[in-house]
Amino acid sequence: MPAISGPGPATVRERYRAQVRAEVKQAALDQIAQAGPAGVSISAIGKQLGISGPGLYRYFASRDELLTELVIDAYHDLADALTAAASPATASPAAVSPAAVSPGQDPRGRLEVLARAYRSWALAQPHRYRLLFGPPLPGYDAHARRLIDASWQAMNPLLGILRELGDHAAAPPPEPLASQLAAWAQPHDPGTSPAAALRAVLVWSRLHGIVSLEIAGNFASMGIDPGQLFEIQLAALTS
């Protein structure tokens, strides 16, 4: 039987299209860094890149489609950072924090590395973090299936560590919360119990809260060291 060849190299047109899409995305990210998601303007991007507004719609059908692509890209990048942090084989704590523990350790230590990686990602690109977790724009469907599926890539590393940790002494959450947590988690991760899903939601909520306040400058305005505050919160999360 003759070998089945894979897809051939991209054509010039395909490479050009990919390049323009990448440039449009970067221009939109620059706008978001300056003025938030509401500041994304297709016409302004067109002027910057020397492409007419109608011409840009050949690459992205609408502003919402462009925002969706940026959100999915950000979830993928965050998931990559958290997956690397959570993996005993590939974690590189020195790149996350000098105080982080070494790879190959127990799940509790990897949870610390993951939490630090989460904070580091948000501090390095706060505009993308706000794009993921800030209030949605009016009329924008922030709960579309594609976005939910992408968000799970960032949640899976945390759930995996919490399953390894286990917590057999924890009481299961009451109804109807237990059923709600199962309905949320099990389509994406069938092995997740309501108790593990509850712990994941609570850990993420506390991480998100302290990181969001830090990137918004709230702790700086209070004269409080956010790094020390984070370490205290981290110790409580992993105790």
Side-chain angles (χ1 to χ4, degrees):
M1 176 181 292
I4 300 176
S5 61
T11 66
V12 172
R13 177 176 292 182
E14 289 169 339
R15 292 198 301 270
Y16 177 75
R17 178 178 178 81
Q19 177 183 337
V20 172
R21 283 175 57 87
E23 290 177 358
V24 171
K25 286 182 179 182
Q26 185 56 56
L29 285 174
D30 292 343
Q31 291 179 338
I32 290 170
Q34 292 294 321
V40 173
S41 166
I42 293 291
S43 61
I45 292 172
K47 290 178 182 178
Q48 177 182 335
L49 300 181
I51 303 173
S52 69
L56 272 184
Y57 287 110
R58 295 200 299 268
Y59 301 95
F60 295 95
S62 65
R63 188 185 70 160
D64 283 0
E65 181 181 299
L66 173 56
L67 287 171
T68 294
E69 293 290 333
L70 295 176
V71 170
I72 291 173
D73 287 350
Y75 272 129
H76 288 172
D77 286 351
L78 176 58
D80 287 346
L82 299 184
T83 298
S87 171
T90 61
S92 179
V96 176
S97 166
V101 282
S102 61
Q105 62 194 287
D106 65 17
R108 196 173 303 278
R110 299 206 317 275
L111 178 57
E112 291 185 19
V113 180
L114 180 145
R116 291 192 179 98
Y118 184 93
R119 176 175 178 252
S120 294
W121 192 91
L123 292 179
Q125 38 199 345
H127 58 298
R128 296 182 81 197
Y129 187 83
R130 295 188 190 99
L131 179 64
L132 293 183
F133 302 117
L137 293 175
Y140 180 73
D141 184 6
H143 305 291
R145 174 52 55 186
R146 290 182 66 201
L147 301 181
I148 292 173
D149 290 344
S151 72
W152 263 96
Q153 296 185 42
M155 182 63 74
N156 279 333
L158 174 60
L159 279 168
I161 289 178
L162 294 180
R163 275 200 305 272
E164 290 184 59
L165 277 173
D167 194 356
H168 302 295
E175 292 292 350
L177 181 59
S179 296
Q180 294 165 353
L181 289 164
W184 168 70
Q186 290 179 2
H188 300 273
D189 196 333
T192 301
S193 67
L198 174 61
R199 187 173 183 191
V201 169
L202 293 177
V203 167
W204 172 76
S205 297
R206 292 168 72 177
L207 274 177
H208 170 63
I210 197 167
V211 168
S212 296
L213 289 169
E214 180 177 0
I215 66 175
N218 295 83
F219 298 136
S221 68
M222 297 166 67
I224 294 175
D225 181 346
Q228 286 189 304
L229 198 62
F230 179 83
E231 290 300 320
I232 294 171
Q233 175 73 295
L234 183 56
L237 286 175
T238 57
S239 61

